[in-house]
Amino acid sequence: MKTILTGIRSNSVLTLGNYLGALLPMVRLANEHSKDFKVNIFVPDLHSIISEVDGDLRENTIRTLKYWLAAGLNLNENVHIYRQSYVPAHSELCWILNCTATMGETSRMIQYKEKSKGQESCNVGIFDYPILMAADILLYDAEYIPLGEDQFQHIELTRNIAMRFNNKFGEVFTVPVKTSDQVKFMEVDTAIRIRDLLNPEKKMSKSTVAEGSKIMLDDTPEKAAKKIMSATTDSLGKVKFDMFNQPGISNLLQIEALVTDVPLSEVTAKWNGETRYGELKKKVAESVSSMLKDFQTRLAEISDDEVYKLLEEGEKYANELANAKLLEVQKAVGLR
Ligand code: TRP
């Protein structure tokens, strides 16, 4: 059975953009394939500490796992959840891979360049981030790693590291599929980017200071509705899906489609030509607030105990697999 593996960092509460653009598509993919694939969902908590964490990391981690469950992740014997730092083989393999990766290829990573830009002293973890990520993937022979476009470069790096290792030490790792084929497998438009409500040219981001720019998953439904009603639109006065000329309106159509699970083409056809933007906003505000209400109700029903129980099972499973692969690697390089 092939493996699908993915993770979301838990540095803070997620935005509606993270939910609609990342979490929900991943949950759908996992549910769709949970009979014919192994599905590993984990929280990369070691990746979290490369930068400041809002609040308590352990609590954030449990909350992020609850998000997965509240978003509808179906668990069965093929689907497992775990925390990266509870599987020490991740760090151990990271070190071994460090000794095969080059400064050149790691320095080329866009995320590293962006995160280190303007920092007087950038921590080594920011630089090493993709190598730990490669370890996360290669330990489980994962072939499919559903992620957004901004992470594609890391997947390509993982492939290169795996191929180089296999050439030198023998066939130890399964090489993940190319990002172009990952996209086909996901069957979702990875270009989906929920935009900032006030500045729709930009992506909705949790780090934006202006409250009205973003909807957080813990916003009350009323607050979220107000933010939609105050979203920036344009002065063209006619609804059309056109991200370039009408990014605000297009963003609202996109949100409506994702929140109500109706194809974008249908939503667009329905609203096309509408001249009263207020009507569209009202509908989207209702859809978003009712989605949030349902989501928050489901979230409140999941207890910490339930999550810890799933983690106990998931981490036992993950440690068994990861330790077996690590031993193979240690033997290949001559440590065992
Ligand atoms: N880099 C991913 C992100 O920022 C998180 C992550 C870390 C990850 N390791 C991973 C995702 C391994 C998939 C597989 O979203």
Side-chain angles (χ1 to χ4, degrees), residues 5-9 42 44 47 84 111 129 132-133 136-137 145-147 150-151 154:
L5 177 148
T6 197
I8 293 184
R9 294 207 294 155
F42 78 111
H47 278 111
Q84 183 187 40
Q111 180 177 301
Y129 186 108
L132 178 57
M133 187 165 161
D136 298 336
I137 295 166
I145 303 102
L147 281 174
D150 61 330
Q151 297 293 317
H154 292 162

Side-chain angles (χ1 to χ4, degrees), residues 199-219:
N199 299 295
E201 301 77 28
K202 297 192 313 186
K203 167 181 163 189
M204 183 183 287
S205 161
K206 45 193 169 203
S207 48
T208 308
V209 184
E211 269 283 310
S213 283
K214 54 192 181 183
I215 291 175
M216 306 305 295
L217 287 183
D218 62 356
D219 278 353

Side-chain angles (χ1 to χ4, degrees), residues 122-228:
C122 159
N123 71 57
V124 178
I126 292 179
F127 181 67
D128 208 24
Y129 186 108
I131 312 294
L132 178 57
M133 187 165 161
D136 298 336
I137 295 166
L138 298 177
L139 273 177
Y140 303 92
D141 291 316
E143 283 180 79
Y144 294 98
I145 303 102
L147 281 174
E149 266 174 335
D150 61 330
Q151 297 293 317
F152 284 3
Q153 214 189 5
H154 292 162
I155 309 252
E156 290 301 329
L157 178 65
T158 302
R159 282 169 46 80
N160 289 336
I161 290 174
M163 288 188 275
R164 191 180 317 133
F165 189 99
N166 287 351
N167 276 333
K168 189 160 176 205
F169 299 108
E171 293 294 315
V172 173
F173 295 127
T174 300
V175 180
V177 306
K178 291 200 294 268
T179 43
S180 51
D181 294 332
Q182 301 269 359
V183 173
K184 284 184 206 139
F185 177 71
M186 289 190 270
E187 287 178 346
V188 291
D189 184 357
T190 49
I192 292 178
R193 285 275 177 276
I194 301 303
R195 310 297 183 101
D196 182 302
L197 295 175
L198 297 178
N199 299 295
E201 301 77 28
K202 297 192 313 186
K203 167 181 163 189
M204 183 183 287
S205 161
K206 45 193 169 203
S207 48
T208 308
V209 184
E211 269 283 310
S213 283
K214 54 192 181 183
I215 291 175
M216 306 305 295
L217 287 183
D218 62 356
D219 278 353
T220 61
E222 299 73 35
K223 190 168 169 188
K226 276 200 194 112
K227 289 179 182 176
I228 296 282

Side-chain angles (χ1 to χ4, degrees), residues 28 49-50 58 71 106 119 133 170 172 219 247 256 284 317 329:
R28 289 196 177 139
I49 59 173
I50 61 156
R58 284 166 305 176
T106 313
Q119 279 200 31
M133 187 165 161
V172 173
D219 278 353
E256 173 70 8
V284 180
Y317 167 87
V329 173

Side-chain angles (χ1 to χ4, degrees), residues 302-333:
I302 306 165
S303 71
D304 285 11
D305 281 353
E306 188 178 337
V307 177
Y308 282 117
K309 219 155 129 203
L310 292 168
L311 285 173
E312 197 176 290
E313 185 279 323
E315 284 159 7
K316 183 164 172 277
Y317 167 87
N319 272 297
E320 272 166 22
L321 280 185
N323 288 338
K325 179 58 78 178
L326 179 63
L327 182 61
E328 238 184 283
V329 173
Q330 288 168 325
K331 284 182 178 160
V333 301

